[in-house]
Amino acid sequence: MSLPSALRHLVAATAIALLPITAQAAGVLHRGNGAEPETLDPQKSTGVPEANLQRDLFEGLVTEAADGKLIPGAATGWTASEDGLTYRFTLRPDGKWSDGTPVTAEDFVWSWHRLLDPAQASKYAFMLWPLKNAEKFSKGEIKDAAEIGVKAEGPGTLVVTLERPTPYLIGLLAHHASYPVNRKAIETHGDRWTRPGNLVGNGAFTLADWTPQDRIRIDRSKTFHDAANVALDSVYYYPTEDIQAEYK
């Protein structure tokens, strides 16, 4: 026997309303994420579905609070020179990769050089063009990456030198293109470094499973500096380009 239309709608609405409660109680979130991610490499991706995952798997110097305010991420803070040309970022002493090794200033130097490398052809390389010589290196006009305005002063201090004062620099550094990537993982696994078991990140979650066109599961990282305040144990991302499919 079929239910009246109004009653069917009420049952459906009640079921949907109860879903977040069930997910929270279990410490697991199920969410739709648009198209299938093209890659989880922060310096190669271009889409929103990829960025959603990367914000969970990696952490830049700067991140966003729940209200959208820019706050320290992998850095504890930063200072700027009076002329606005030099920024010094202090990294968290407890910042770690998911393999347990420390996140260092040199990790950011290597990652930013990689982003700007013309061989990468990254569509977001321009995000770092405010750095001294970054645009010239990105366009192949200079060849020596050491001329780019980013240096490590020991493992805990990153010094950034700009071409000209850039008041919006901190906002740029919240973008996924500037996230650090793990050199060892990339050199070991090549293009497959973003697969489960290979990906080493410094974010609140780690990549546990990826079944293309089905789901991606990420689990809470045990090495994340603020792991005690991560409310979820796991998040499931589903490719849902159709809003009706996402409701289902």
Side-chain angles (χ1 to χ4, degrees), residues 61 91-92 95 97 101-109 152 154-158 180:
L61 295 170
L91 269 61
R92 295 184 179 279
W97 294 103
T101 58
V103 176
T104 68
E106 187 57 41
D107 290 323
F108 280 92
V109 174
T157 303
L158 187 73

Side-chain angles (χ1 to χ4, degrees), residues 155-169:
T157 303
L158 187 73
V159 181
V160 175
T161 306
L162 306 180
E163 288 280 1
R164 60 191 63 85
T166 308
Y168 52 87
L169 175 71

Side-chain angles (χ1 to χ4, degrees), residues 96-98 203-206 219-225 227:
K96 292 182 180 180
W97 294 103
S98 54
F205 292 85
T206 59
D219 293 340
R220 179 167 52 182
S221 172
K222 297 178 182 179
T223 62
F224 184 57
H225 62 83

Side-chain angles (χ1 to χ4, degrees), residues 173-186:
L173 297 184
H175 191 272
H176 65 78
S178 72
Y179 291 171
V181 291
N182 188 276
R183 181 174 185 174
K184 182 179 179 181
I186 293 172

